[in-house]
Amino acid sequence: MFEPYLKSFYIRSTDPTQIKILKLEVLTNLANETNIPTVLREFQTYIRSMDKDFVAATIQAIGRCATNIGRVRDTCLNGLVQLLSNRDELVVAESVVVIKKLLQMQPAQHGEIIKHLAKLTDNIQVPMARASILWLIGEYCEHVPRIAPDVLRKMAKSFTAEEDIVKLQVINLAAKLYLTNSKQSTGSDAQPQRPWLMGPAAPRHVGSSRTGAQTHVPCISRWTLNHCATREAHSVAPLIHGG
């Protein structure tokens, strides 16, 4: 009904934030196979807005369009990846969260994007974005077998300073890495291949044949006062130790 009037819902810079977001929702709902190129071009102009709440909503809208219209999914994904170089951390963080949702649809095709996201853990500080990156690395660690252990090592160093949502994903990453990356985490001669055990975060008994996950997960339960993270660490530890 409203498709012929698509341009009537274009957003003006003078619109209040709530009106902008309402119009954005209408545009997203009106997007279809025919007009999606026009809608996405319009969204690109909104990304440059100084209204950060509106920019975040626009990034979410791009994600919804990619979900609903399969043929533009790769185009949207590539555009979101380009936003990862944006100077505004909130834009980057929102992009990471949306990229996570899109990658879940076809992760095997996007190993390079997951590698790129892994490198962002050094710079992104927004908890939800950090947690999303860790979830992706853990869920698809077979696509990044060399990078995942190094990310775990870095996160072990900063574990005590992380938000609870990030701590939980660090624990999950340790468990998934142990279960899927056995070549780097088993055997008495595996020490040189366990980069997550290097650095100041490694316990003193690191020279033993215990794996990085075996070493860190029990310790993590003592490094946090958060009951959820402690309970998660305690529940994962027996699995890693073989029951």
Side-chain angles (χ1 to χ4, degrees):
M1 181 185 298
F2 293 104
E3 289 179 16
Y5 309 101
L6 185 72
K7 293 185 178 180
S8 299
F9 295 99
Y10 282 5
I11 294 158
R12 300 176 179 145
S13 59
T14 55
D15 287 337
T17 300
Q18 290 183 332
I19 299 300
K20 289 178 181 177
I21 293 176
L22 283 174
K23 285 184 174 181
L24 195 61
E25 187 173 349
V26 172
L27 288 172
T28 304
N29 290 333
L30 292 178
N32 56 36
E33 293 277 352
T34 303
N35 63 27
I36 187 61
T38 302
V39 172
L40 289 178
R41 280 196 299 271
E42 186 68 13
F43 284 176
Q44 286 178 346
T45 65
Y46 300 161
I47 295 294
R48 296 191 289 270
S49 171
M50 299 300 293
D51 186 338
K52 299 308 175 186
D53 290 336
F54 172 53
V55 171
T58 300
I59 294 172
Q60 294 169 12
I62 292 172
R64 288 196 298 274
C65 288
T67 301
N68 297 334
I69 305 174
R71 78 177 181 87
V72 298
R73 190 168 298 147
D74 286 343
T75 300
C76 292
L77 193 54
N78 290 333
L80 291 168
V81 170
Q82 291 178 10
L83 290 179
L84 296 178
S85 59
N86 194 286
R87 294 182 180 181
D88 190 318
E89 186 179 7
L90 292 177
V91 171
V92 175
E94 196 64 46
S95 299
V96 167
V97 174
V98 175
I99 287 172
K100 171 196 167 186
K101 295 176 181 177
L102 296 180
L103 287 182
Q104 287 178 259
M105 298 178 181
Q106 43 187 186
Q109 301 179 25
H110 300 296
E112 289 303 316
I113 294 178
I114 297 174
K115 291 178 184 178
H116 183 58
L117 290 172
K119 296 176 183 178
L120 294 178
T121 54
D122 291 335
N123 302 316
I124 294 180
Q125 300 304 318
V126 177
M128 180 58 73
R130 289 174 72 79
S132 294
I133 292 174
L134 292 173
W135 185 90
L136 276 170
I137 296 171
E139 189 72 9
Y140 307 115
C141 53
E142 68 274 14
H143 300 301
V144 286
R146 295 186 179 181
I147 293 176
D150 193 51
V151 171
L152 178 58
R153 173 184 62 81
K154 292 178 181 179
M155 296 308 300
K157 291 181 182 180
S158 63
F159 184 84
T160 54
E162 299 290 349
E163 294 292 331
D164 294 340
I165 190 174
V166 180
K167 289 178 179 178
L168 288 171
Q169 291 306 324
V170 174
I171 296 170
N172 287 335
L173 174 59
K176 290 175 180 177
L177 189 58
Y178 175 76
L179 294 172
T180 61
N181 204 349
S182 57
K183 289 184 179 180
Q184 288 194 345
S185 45
T186 58
S188 58
D189 60 343
Q191 179 64 29
Q193 300 180 30
R194 288 178 278 147
W196 59 75
L197 287 178
M198 306 303 175
R204 295 182 183 276
H205 55 271
V206 61
S208 71
S209 61
R210 300 173 73 195
T211 70
Q214 284 176 312
T215 300
H216 282 310
V217 169
C219 291
I220 279 172
S221 67
R222 299 194 297 270
W223 290 350
T224 176
L225 297 176
N226 176 261
H227 296 300
C228 290
T230 301
R231 186 166 57 249
E232 184 80 4
H234 281 306
S235 65
V236 167
L239 176 64
I240 290 177
H241 284 284

